[in-house]
Amino acid sequence: MTTHLSPPAAAAPPAPHAFARLGLLRELGTPGDAVRSFGPNWFAAVMGTGIVGGAAATLPFRSPWLTAWATGVWGLASALLVVLVAATVAHRVRFPERARAHAADPVAVQSYGAVAMALMTVGAGAVQFGPAVLGTPAALATSGALWLTGTAFGLVTAVGVPYLMITRHTIGPDAVSPAWLLPVVPPMVSAADGALLVVHLAPGTGRTTLLLACVALFGMSLFATLALLPQIWNRLVVHGTGPAAAVPTLWIVLGPLGQSVTAAGLLANAAPGSLPEPYAGAAAVVAVVYGVPVWGFAMLWLALAAAVTLRTVRRGLPFTLTWWSFTFPVGTCVTGTNLLVARLGTPALTVVATALYVLLVAAWLVVGARTVHGALVRSEPARPRVRRPQRRGSLRSGDPSRSSW
């Protein structure tokens, strides 16, 4: 007798989780899987958000609505920082191998500098907006803690990332990227944000020591940047811009340029009462003699980066987290320009600063909206490729956008 067996019934697909039923995170098995592909590049969103508020505080005009806007944006950046720190902890607990692999990836490791700068961006906002919200003692304590943490982590990236590049990564001749600036810019941010704290210290040895430390941090980042800029220029001229998704990283170059002009201005503001004459007066001269030429080169690079970006947009510019490069670097140009306005009172610079701030806000709104959409309502599954730690000689350069979704 012949027995006919029915084929086994196909397993029913798992029920969608609660967020998926709302159209959010629908391609993930569980909401907790959202941290699987998490990386330090996400902290660029904190930098780009925080600078929108911080730059507004330096504009040469004041109004209650502008103060409220800037304070609200700083609050948003602070909340985002808390979320991303929690996501970092969750990622390292749930996916420790992926977290360790970032250091072995010559592209992903550059983004650790964004972590340090995110901490200090929020810390700077605590000085600017915190007294009205938290009270002066709590605001200064918060800013000091974030500055110390960010500075310490920034020194680790400024030394540690180049060390890994020298000893573990194999770098091809076409590998140079503006993203290489990310690990060495944090000391410049420390110099600028530290100057905001200096003015709250009583005159004496402690105030002088902190100011001199900020000047030393300024030098660390400045000369590292000067060593990298010729390589970046040569790479672009000889090898081109690379993949379209990497084009936004061109804007990163504006970061150390604008931030150094900002730091020079803030250090000059903090010099009286911190340094004896003639050094305090000389700091004011340096802020102008250094600031104006560097600002000029920043404007040249801004025009070049904008031209290349518009050309790429016409051909197709896919969205990645590298789009956050359109925000923080432009914000440093706003703050640097405003500090020159405060010192020189030039009307033309006031117009430029206002125009740059409008550009910054527009870029932040677009990039922020695209990021939220990409993170919560993605229509295509993310398949991040995280490399396992390997020895020197096994890794070559890659596309700076590779760590995006």
Side-chain angles (χ1 to χ4, degrees):
M1 182 175 72
T2 303
T3 302
H4 297 282
L5 299 177
S6 302
H17 54 77
F19 285 101
R21 290 194 291 270
L22 296 175
L24 305 177
L25 306 173
R26 52 180 176 265
E27 75 274 8
L28 301 178
T30 66
D33 288 340
V35 300
R36 180 187 297 274
S37 59
F38 183 81
N41 53 343
W42 274 95
F43 283 87
V46 178
M47 297 166 54
T49 301
I51 197 67
V52 172
T58 67
L59 289 170
F61 42 82
R62 298 285 185 272
S63 71
W65 69 265
L66 184 62
T67 300
W69 155 261
T71 303
V73 174
W74 168 68
L76 177 61
S78 302
L80 183 57
L81 177 63
V82 172
V83 170
L84 294 185
V85 169
T88 300
V89 173
H91 181 251
R92 290 194 169 272
V93 170
R94 295 195 60 180
F95 309 102
E97 186 176 351
R98 285 175 169 267
R100 289 191 297 268
H102 290 149
D105 189 312
V107 175
V109 72
Q110 308 297 333
S111 295
Y112 277 114
V115 180
M117 290 186 281
L119 292 168
M120 290 184 287
T121 301
V122 173
V127 174
Q128 296 168 309
F129 312 112
V133 178
L134 306 172
T136 300
L140 292 178
T142 300
S143 180
L146 290 172
W147 183 83
L148 286 171
T149 306
T151 297
F153 195 81
L155 290 174
V156 170
T157 67
V159 176
V161 173
Y163 173 81
L164 291 175
M165 295 171 70
I166 293 169
T167 61
R168 296 190 184 183
H169 304 157
T170 296
I171 307 298
D174 62 342
V176 180
S177 166
W180 285 14
L181 290 167
L182 287 173
V184 300
V185 176
M188 187 66 76
V189 179
S190 294
D193 294 355
L196 292 174
L197 293 170
V198 167
V199 297
H200 292 278
L201 298 178
T205 303
R207 177 167 172 159
T208 300
T209 301
L210 180 57
L211 182 68
L212 292 177
C214 290
V215 174
L217 290 165
F218 178 98
M220 290 180 192
S221 184
L222 173 63
F223 287 102
T225 299
L226 292 177
L228 288 171
L229 282 179
Q231 300 180 57
I232 294 170
W233 191 287
N234 179 74
R235 187 253 187 261
L236 293 172
V237 172
V238 175
H239 299 286
T241 59
V247 166
T249 63
L250 289 175
W251 294 72
I252 294 175
V253 175
L254 293 173
L257 298 175
Q259 192 68 21
S260 68
V261 176
T262 301
L266 292 175
L267 290 170
N269 292 344
S274 303
L275 297 176
E277 293 294 349
Y279 305 109
V285 175
V286 169
V288 175
V289 173
Y290 170 86
V292 174
V294 174
W295 181 88
F297 180 69
M299 294 302 100
L300 181 152
W301 193 275
L302 174 63
L304 178 62
V308 174
T309 301
L310 290 174
R311 173 177 178 268
T312 307
V313 167
R314 289 195 297 268
R315 300 182 177 187
L317 179 61
F319 175 75
T320 71
L321 289 179
T322 59
W323 280 32
W324 282 101
S325 303
F326 297 138
T327 55
F328 185 83
V330 175
T332 66
C333 292
V334 176
T335 57
T337 306
N338 285 329
L339 283 166
L340 289 175
V341 170
R343 196 163 295 278
L344 300 174
T346 309
L349 287 177
T350 302
V351 174
V352 173
T354 304
L356 287 174
Y357 187 72
V358 172
L359 174 64
L360 170 63
V361 173
W364 176 69
L365 291 173
V366 171
V367 178
R370 292 296 301 269
T371 301
V372 171
H373 180 272
L376 297 181
V377 198
R378 290 179 293 188
S379 59
E380 296 179 1
R383 297 184 179 90
R385 294 176 289 177
V386 179
R387 298 176 182 264
R388 295 177 180 274
Q390 302 176 43
R391 294 182 180 179
R392 176 178 171 85
S394 60
L395 290 177
R396 288 187 64 83
S397 61
D399 176 4
S401 67
R402 193 178 62 225
S403 57
S404 63
W405 52 69

Coordinates of all heavy atoms in Angstrom, one line a residue, residues 66-102:
L66 N 16.1 84.0 19.7 CA 17.3 83.4 19.3 C 18.0 82.6 20.5 O 18.5 81.5 20.3 CB 18.3 84.4 18.8 CG 19.6 83.8 18.2 CD1 19.4 82.9 17.0 CD2 20.6 85.0 17.8
T67 N 17.9 83.2 21.7 CA 18.4 82.5 22.9 C 17.6 81.3 23.2 O 18.2 80.2 23.5 CB 18.4 83.5 24.1 OG1 19.2 84.7 23.8 CG2 18.9 82.8 25.3
A68 N 16.3 81.4 23.1 CA 15.4 80.2 23.3 C 15.7 79.1 22.3 O 15.8 77.9 22.7 CB 14.0 80.6 23.3
W69 N 15.9 79.5 21.0 CA 16.2 78.5 20.0 C 17.5 77.8 20.3 O 17.6 76.6 20.2 CB 16.2 79.2 18.7 CG 17.1 78.6 17.6 CD1 18.4 78.9 17.2 CD2 16.7 77.5 16.7 NE1 18.8 78.1 16.2 CE2 17.8 77.2 15.9 CE3 15.6 76.7 16.6 CZ2 17.8 76.2 15.0 CZ3 15.6 75.7 15.7 CH2 16.7 75.5 14.8
A70 N 18.5 78.6 20.6 CA 19.8 78.0 20.8 C 19.8 77.1 22.1 O 20.4 76.0 22.1 CB 20.9 79.1 21.0
T71 N 19.1 77.5 23.1 CA 19.0 76.7 24.3 C 18.3 75.4 24.1 O 18.7 74.3 24.5 CB 18.3 77.5 25.4 OG1 19.0 78.7 25.7 CG2 18.3 76.7 26.7
G72 N 17.3 75.5 23.3 CA 16.5 74.3 22.9 C 17.3 73.3 22.1 O 17.3 72.1 22.3
V73 N 18.1 73.8 21.2 CA 19.0 72.9 20.4 C 20.1 72.3 21.2 O 20.4 71.1 21.1 CB 19.6 73.7 19.2 CG1 20.6 72.9 18.4 CG2 18.5 74.2 18.2
W74 N 20.6 73.1 22.1 CA 21.6 72.5 23.1 C 21.0 71.4 23.9 O 21.6 70.4 24.1 CB 22.2 73.6 24.0 CG 23.0 73.0 25.1 CD1 24.2 72.4 25.1 CD2 22.6 73.1 26.5 NE1 24.6 72.0 26.3 CE2 23.6 72.4 27.2 CE3 21.5 73.5 27.2 CZ2 23.6 72.2 28.6 CZ3 21.4 73.4 28.6 CH2 22.5 72.7 29.3
G75 N 19.8 71.6 24.4 CA 19.1 70.6 25.1 C 18.9 69.3 24.3 O 19.0 68.2 24.8
L76 N 18.5 69.5 23.0 CA 18.4 68.3 22.1 C 19.7 67.6 22.0 O 19.8 66.4 22.0 CB 17.9 68.8 20.8 CG 17.7 67.7 19.7 CD1 16.7 66.7 20.1 CD2 17.3 68.4 18.4
A77 N 20.8 68.3 21.8 CA 22.1 67.7 21.7 C 22.5 67.0 22.9 O 23.1 65.9 22.9 CB 23.2 68.8 21.3
S78 N 22.1 67.5 24.1 CA 22.4 66.9 25.4 C 21.7 65.6 25.5 O 22.3 64.5 25.9 CB 22.1 67.8 26.5 OG 22.8 69.0 26.4
A79 N 20.4 65.6 25.1 CA 19.6 64.4 25.2 C 20.1 63.3 24.2 O 20.2 62.1 24.5 CB 18.1 64.7 24.9
L80 N 20.5 63.8 23.0 CA 21.1 62.8 22.0 C 22.4 62.2 22.5 O 22.6 61.0 22.3 CB 21.3 63.6 20.7 CG 21.8 62.8 19.5 CD1 20.8 61.6 19.2 CD2 21.9 63.7 18.3
L81 N 23.2 63.0 23.2 CA 24.5 62.5 23.7 C 24.2 61.4 24.7 O 24.8 60.3 24.7 CB 25.2 63.6 24.4 CG 26.6 63.2 25.1 CD1 27.5 62.6 24.1 CD2 27.2 64.4 25.8
V82 N 23.2 61.6 25.6 CA 22.9 60.6 26.6 C 22.4 59.3 25.9 O 22.8 58.2 26.3 CB 21.8 61.1 27.5 CG1 21.2 60.0 28.5 CG2 22.3 62.2 28.4
V83 N 21.6 59.4 24.9 CA 21.1 58.2 24.1 C 22.2 57.5 23.5 O 22.3 56.3 23.5 CB 20.0 58.7 23.1 CG1 19.7 57.5 22.1 CG2 18.8 59.2 23.8
L84 N 23.2 58.2 22.9 CA 24.3 57.6 22.1 C 25.3 56.9 23.1 O 25.8 55.9 22.8 CB 25.0 58.6 21.2 CG 24.1 59.1 20.1 CD1 25.0 60.0 19.2 CD2 23.5 58.0 19.3
V85 N 25.5 57.5 24.3 CA 26.3 56.9 25.3 C 25.7 55.6 25.7 O 26.4 54.6 25.9 CB 26.6 57.8 26.5 CG1 27.2 57.1 27.6 CG2 27.5 59.0 26.0
A86 N 24.4 55.6 25.9 CA 23.7 54.4 26.3 C 23.8 53.3 25.2 O 24.0 52.1 25.5 CB 22.2 54.7 26.7
A87 N 23.6 53.8 24.0 CA 23.7 52.8 22.8 C 25.1 52.3 22.7 O 25.3 51.1 22.4 CB 23.4 53.6 21.5
T88 N 26.2 53.1 23.0 CA 27.5 52.6 23.0 C 27.7 51.5 24.0 O 28.3 50.4 23.8 CB 28.5 53.7 23.3 OG1 28.4 54.7 22.3 CG2 29.9 53.2 23.3
V89 N 27.2 51.7 25.2 CA 27.3 50.7 26.3 C 26.6 49.4 25.9 O 27.1 48.3 26.0 CB 26.7 51.2 27.6 CG1 26.7 50.1 28.7 CG2 27.6 52.4 28.1
A90 N 25.4 49.6 25.3 CA 24.6 48.4 24.9 C 25.3 47.6 23.8 O 25.3 46.4 23.7 CB 23.2 48.8 24.4
H91 N 25.9 48.4 22.9 CA 26.6 47.8 21.7 C 27.8 47.0 22.2 O 28.0 45.8 21.8 CB 27.1 48.8 20.8 CG 27.8 48.3 19.6 ND1 29.2 48.5 19.4 CD2 27.4 47.6 18.5 CE1 29.5 47.9 18.3 NE2 28.5 47.4 17.7
R92 N 28.5 47.5 23.2 CA 29.7 46.8 23.7 C 29.3 45.6 24.5 O 30.1 44.6 24.6 CB 30.6 47.8 24.5 CG 31.3 48.8 23.6 CD 32.4 49.5 24.3 NE 33.1 50.3 23.3 CZ 34.2 49.9 22.7 NH1 34.6 48.6 22.9 NH2 34.8 50.6 21.8
V93 N 28.2 45.6 25.2 CA 27.7 44.5 26.0 C 27.2 43.4 25.1 O 27.5 42.2 25.2 CB 26.7 45.0 27.0 CG1 26.0 43.8 27.7 CG2 27.3 45.9 28.0
R94 N 26.4 43.8 24.1 CA 25.7 42.8 23.3 C 26.5 42.3 22.1 O 26.4 41.1 21.7 CB 24.4 43.4 22.7 CG 23.3 43.7 23.8 CD 22.0 43.9 23.1 NE 21.5 42.7 22.4 CZ 20.4 42.6 21.8 NH1 19.5 43.7 21.8 NH2 20.0 41.5 21.1
F95 N 27.4 43.1 21.6 CA 28.2 42.8 20.4 C 29.6 43.2 20.6 O 30.2 44.0 19.9 CB 27.6 43.5 19.1 CG 26.1 43.3 18.9 CD1 25.2 44.3 19.3 CD2 25.6 42.1 18.4 CE1 23.9 44.1 19.1 CE2 24.3 41.9 18.3 CZ 23.4 42.9 18.6
P96 N 30.3 42.6 21.6 CA 31.6 43.0 21.9 C 32.6 42.8 20.8 O 33.6 43.6 20.6 CB 32.0 42.2 23.1 CG 31.1 41.0 23.1 CD 29.8 41.5 22.4
E97 N 32.5 41.8 20.0 CA 33.4 41.5 18.9 C 33.3 42.6 17.9 O 34.3 43.1 17.3 CB 33.1 40.2 18.3 CG 34.2 39.8 17.2 CD 34.0 38.4 16.7 OE1 33.1 37.7 17.2 OE2 34.6 38.0 15.7
R98 N 32.1 43.0 17.5 CA 31.9 44.1 16.6 C 32.5 45.4 17.1 O 33.1 46.2 16.4 CB 30.4 44.3 16.3 CG 29.8 43.2 15.4 CD 28.3 43.5 15.2 NE 27.8 42.6 14.2 CZ 27.6 43.0 12.9 NH1 28.0 44.2 12.6 NH2 27.1 42.1 12.0
A99 N 32.3 45.7 18.4 CA 32.8 46.9 19.0 C 34.4 46.9 18.9 O 35.0 47.9 18.6 CB 32.4 47.0 20.4
R100 N 35.0 45.8 19.2 CA 36.5 45.7 19.2 C 37.0 45.8 17.8 O 38.1 46.3 17.5 CB 37.0 44.4 19.8 CG 36.8 44.4 21.3 CD 37.6 43.2 21.9 NE 37.0 41.9 21.4 CZ 36.1 41.2 22.0 NH1 35.6 41.6 23.1 NH2 35.7 40.1 21.5
A101 N 36.2 45.4 16.8 CA 36.6 45.5 15.4 C 36.8 46.9 14.9 O 37.5 47.1 13.9 CB 35.6 44.7 14.5
H102 N 36.1 47.9 15.5 CA 36.3 49.2 15.0 C 37.7 49.7 15.0 O 38.2 50.4 14.1 CB 35.4 50.2 15.9 CG 34.0 50.0 15.7 ND1 33.1 50.2 16.7 CD2 33.2 49.6 14.6 CE1 31.8 50.0 16.3 NE2 31.9 49.6 15.0

